[in-house]
Amino acid sequence: MIRSPLCALAALAVVGCAHVPAASAQPVVDAPAGAVRGQALDGVNVFRGIPYALPPTGWRRWRPPAVMPHWRETRDATAFGPACHQLTARGTSIYAAAEAPRMSEDCLSLNIWTPANASDAPVLVWIHGGALTNGASSEAMYDGAKLAAEGVIVVSINYRLGVLGYLAHPELSNESRKHVSGNYGLLDQIEALRWIERNIAAFGGDAANVTIAGESAGALSVMYLMAAPQARGLFDRAIVQSGYMLSTPELRSSRYGDPPAEGVGVWLQAQLGQSNLAGLRAMDAQTLTERAIQTGYMPWGTIDGEVLPEQLVEIFDLGQQAPVPLLVGFNEGEIRSLRALAPPAPADATVYEQAIRERYGDLADAFLAVYPSSDVAESVLEAPRDALYGWTAERMARRQTALGQPAFLYLFDHGYPAADEADLHAFHASEIPYVFGTRDRTPPRWPAIPDTATENGLSDVIRAYWTSFARSGTPRAPGQAEWPAYGLNRAYMAFEEGPVAGERLMPGMYDLRETEVCRRRVTGGTPWNWAVGIVAAPVPPAAAACR
């Protein structure tokens, strides 16, 4: 229930104060978790930095999040909470903020943008990206005000990152009643969804109409949540923007060439000069975070049989993922801003073709048909794009369709002058400011989006599709092209200057990657990731199971 500060004083007089007028500057919500005071901005009420779980600090580090006790005093919710620990410097990346965020282990908070006087409004929960090592819900580009103005409640969350969020270790597994470890950042996300289920009605939201959404590592998190039994029933739809369904480390085995997650934890402990878990827990959180990354540690979910029962490809093949409508897609120029994921282009077409034939064997002709030697520079960018994002998007669309759920596939293929001049056409994450309507809130090195009718109009259209999907499970935009479900026709929507519906996106791409991954799964010796094309491990020969 939303009320004004005056209502708090007048409660004993039985004054009717169920909702705050839109003009109220400091709306207060009486939620089951406790009362919070936010801000009213242009018809949208904003509540920032609300804690959803107890901080996992000190001796509690690397434990599942604990339920936040009810607070009695009205909590100020006008400032974002601190970010979870991460690297403080990110060089000259276009994704780098102007300055490092305030950080703390006490970082498990969320933010809510809600239309004034909302009632049973759909809820969109945003999970930020950043390779599970960086990012925060407080980033300006994720401001939810314009989405909320479309009648959708937006919730953005923080979750533990890096080594603090994803370390697996034998001692941690021994502490666990389930004898597992890792996935703490994912458990944070699940606890945030539980908090939303208990409390969002007080903010005018419908707890039975929750969409989870994320980009990059946030999209990977959405896929993890779709696979996690503990998250089942906590959301009703999913949006996956540039997700990647890679092979994932398993807790105690090396099934696809990745080392066991517990073994990585023991290795990291030695690299950091510690003899046991207690030594790691005694380290300063920021020092631990930075030194872990410097050693080469990379956070991933862990296949533990509990939170993540199996590899994502297996979960989706077996139809054991959450049976919810899906909106999923990727960007044409994903790798243009992620050049580290692409190998240097060979000197000429002959060298390129020879490398492909050595690695792909009987699949070489199919590979060269999709990624030809006639434009090697583009082919070495497109192959990892599809191995990571394109194949994942279409695979998810296929598997949700097989479950009897509607799936809506997209390709973001929009360029604008500053991005195209920098050879960053439709780069990784470039759709985000169009989704949020935050053209003017991007990081300082981000190619500036011009304030034109074309750019603002495309943002309006994309927001309409996204909020319609959150509301009903079907993306629609007034006066725009109908977005057909993927279905048997393999339909998709391309976002260029505007939306353009099509069928059979990038013929040959999905089938090629699916065959390669299937062979690697059958043989079990190598992972499937972004090392494709001229840097791929040799593709195993044809297997009967993959035909």
Side-chain angles (χ1 to χ4, degrees), residues 27 73 140-141 152 202 279 285 287 336 340 411 448 459-461 511 533 541 544:
E73 301 296 325
M141 194 163 59
V152 173
T287 300
R336 296 185 189 282
L411 172 69
S459 180
D460 291 344
V461 167
D511 296 324

Side-chain angles (χ1 to χ4, degrees), residues 90-98 139 141 331 333-339 416 418-419 422-431 441-448:
R90 295 169 67 185
T92 59
S93 165
I94 63 171
Y95 305 108
E139 292 184 24
M141 194 163 59
N331 296 0
E334 298 275 7
I335 307 299
R336 296 185 189 282
S337 58
L338 302 173
R339 298 275 174 162
Y416 55 92
D423 193 22
L424 290 172
H425 177 88
F427 61 95
H428 185 67
S430 59
E431 85 287 358
R441 309 290 299 278
T442 56
R445 296 184 184 88
W446 192 282

Side-chain angles (χ1 to χ4, degrees), residues 94-95 214-217 219 240-244 328-342 378 380-393 409-414 423-432 446 505-506 530:
I94 63 171
Y95 305 108
E215 185 272 341
S216 195
V240 174
Q241 300 171 209
S242 302
Y244 39 101
V328 60
F330 66 108
N331 296 0
E332 191 280 335
E334 298 275 7
I335 307 299
R336 296 185 189 282
S337 58
L338 302 173
R339 298 275 174 162
L341 299 179
E378 282 301 301
V380 298
L381 294 176
E382 292 172 358
R385 174 200 68 194
D386 297 341
L388 287 166
Y389 309 109
W391 168 75
T392 296
L409 178 66
Y410 75 84
L411 172 69
F412 186 80
D413 192 11
H414 177 71
D423 193 22
L424 290 172
H425 177 88
F427 61 95
H428 185 67
S430 59
E431 85 287 358
I432 292 177
W446 192 282
L505 176 62
M506 299 178 182
W530 54 88

Side-chain angles (χ1 to χ4, degrees), residues 187-271:
L187 290 170
D188 294 342
Q189 296 169 12
I190 293 171
E191 185 59 33
L193 291 174
R194 289 173 177 151
W195 190 97
I196 292 165
E197 183 178 56
R198 295 190 299 265
N199 291 275
I200 203 64
F203 294 84
D206 182 359
N209 189 2
V210 174
T211 298
I212 56 173
E215 185 272 341
S216 195
L220 175 64
S221 297
V222 171
M223 290 192 286
Y224 285 160
L225 291 167
M226 293 179 72
Q230 292 90 335
R232 197 58 52 86
L234 295 175
F235 60 91
D236 308 279
R237 293 181 247 291
I239 298 176
V240 174
Q241 300 171 209
S242 302
Y244 39 101
M245 193 178 286
L246 305 186
S247 51
T248 304
E250 305 196 358
L251 187 62
R252 299 186 183 94
S253 61
S254 179
R255 187 172 165 200
Y256 292 114
D258 292 314
E262 283 188 348
V264 172
V266 172
W267 168 84
L268 179 62
Q269 172 186 292
Q271 295 295 306

Side-chain angles (χ1 to χ4, degrees), residues 426-517:
F427 61 95
H428 185 67
S430 59
E431 85 287 358
I432 292 177
Y434 293 88
V435 171
F436 281 88
T438 50
R439 174 197 57 77
D440 57 344
R441 309 290 299 278
T442 56
R445 296 184 184 88
W446 192 282
I449 303 173
D451 183 9
T452 64
T454 295
E455 306 309 322
N456 294 326
L458 180 62
S459 180
D460 291 344
V461 167
I462 290 177
R463 284 202 316 282
Y465 280 122
W466 261 241
T467 55
S468 169
F469 179 79
R471 187 175 298 110
S472 67
T474 302
R476 293 190 177 95
Q480 301 296 325
E482 180 181 352
W483 189 339
Y486 179 81
L488 296 176
N489 293 329
R490 299 171 64 175
Y492 70 96
M493 183 71 80
F495 291 99
E496 300 170 357
E497 293 302 293
V500 180
E503 294 180 355
R504 296 185 58 82
L505 176 62
M506 299 178 182
M509 174 271 288
Y510 174 82
D511 296 324
L512 171 66
R513 179 62 169 170
E514 182 69 15
T515 301
E516 177 193 349
V517 171

Side-chain angles (χ1 to χ4, degrees), residues 7 10 34 41 101 138 151 161 163 204 213 226 272 291 300 314 329 361 395 407 412 417 442 467 473 479 501 514:
C7 294
L41 302 170
S138 56
L161 303 168
V163 65
M226 293 179 72
L272 298 179
R291 287 191 59 194
W300 295 100
E314 299 285 350
R395 193 173 212 278
F412 186 80
T442 56
T467 55
E514 182 69 15

